[in-house]
Amino acid sequence: MKQTTTKLQKGIAIIIATLTILTPHVTKAIGVANLSFSGPSNTTLGSSITLTAKLSSQEAINAVAGNIQYSPDQIEITQIKTGSSILKYWQQQPIQNTNSGLISFTGGLPTPGFQGTGTLISLTIKAKAIGDSVISFLPSSQVLANDGNGTAL
């Protein structure tokens, strides 16, 4: 837990607590494809930050099924955006279960697919509690190759 002290004119101290969101650089490696998050890792209690869920692939892909876990007692996902996603067709738009802290989505794109690094979804996160919180892709997440067979990467 990090704390910053600021003094008011009358000498009263206010403590601003921060929430650290732990997002390992690569949260799920799937063969030649990696799912990860980018963005700030700290925010103050009650403030918001935006994290971007990203895909990096050395091979052309055409579908992603993402399952993201977070701590609903520590953070609140206030907005999920897909506007800048590499995925063009959504079998399942991102949905959130606020009780279990699960976000899931399934999307794809036509041939020639996508190769490189790109955005899947963006999450606006609001800190609800002080301390460390983890947000990560679950092992059930899948990335499928644009090979005509839907080979899991």
Side-chain angles (χ1 to χ4, degrees):
M1 175 177 65
K2 297 180 181 178
Q3 296 181 345
T4 305
T5 304
T6 305
K7 293 188 179 182
L8 294 177
Q9 292 176 349
K10 295 184 179 180
I12 301 172
I14 296 178
I15 297 176
I16 301 172
T18 63
L19 170 73
T20 301
I21 299 173
L22 305 175
T23 55
H25 178 64
V26 175
T27 57
K28 179 154 173 59
I30 311 172
V32 295
N34 294 318
L35 298 172
S36 62
F37 293 93
S38 66
S41 60
N42 290 316
T43 185
T44 56
L45 190 61
S47 295
S48 295
I49 59 170
T50 299
L51 290 182
T52 304
K54 293 196 170 279
L55 164 79
S56 295
S57 180
Q58 300 170 7
E59 193 172 309
I61 67 97
N62 72 348
V64 178
N67 295 300
I68 298 170
Q69 185 73 55
Y70 66 94
S71 304
D73 56 327
Q74 293 185 305
I75 60 175
E76 175 185 358
I77 307 295
T78 59
Q79 189 172 41
I80 302 172
K81 292 183 182 180
T82 60
S84 59
S85 180
I86 60 169
L87 304 174
K88 302 303 175 202
Y89 304 110
W90 294 95
Q91 180 181 358
Q92 177 186 310
Q93 285 280 339
I95 57 171
Q96 169 181 201
N97 182 323
T98 57
N99 293 326
S100 65
L102 180 67
I103 298 168
S104 58
F105 62 90
T106 305
L109 63 160
T111 297
F114 177 84
Q115 185 175 355
T117 300
T119 297
L120 297 172
I121 61 175
S122 295
L123 307 172
T124 302
I125 298 171
K126 183 177 180 180
K128 291 171 52 177
I130 300 167
D132 294 340
S133 182
V134 175
I135 183 166
S136 61
F137 281 94
L138 293 174
S140 56
S141 297
Q142 292 186 327
V143 177
L144 303 179
N146 187 44
D147 63 358
N149 296 317
T151 304
L153 297 177

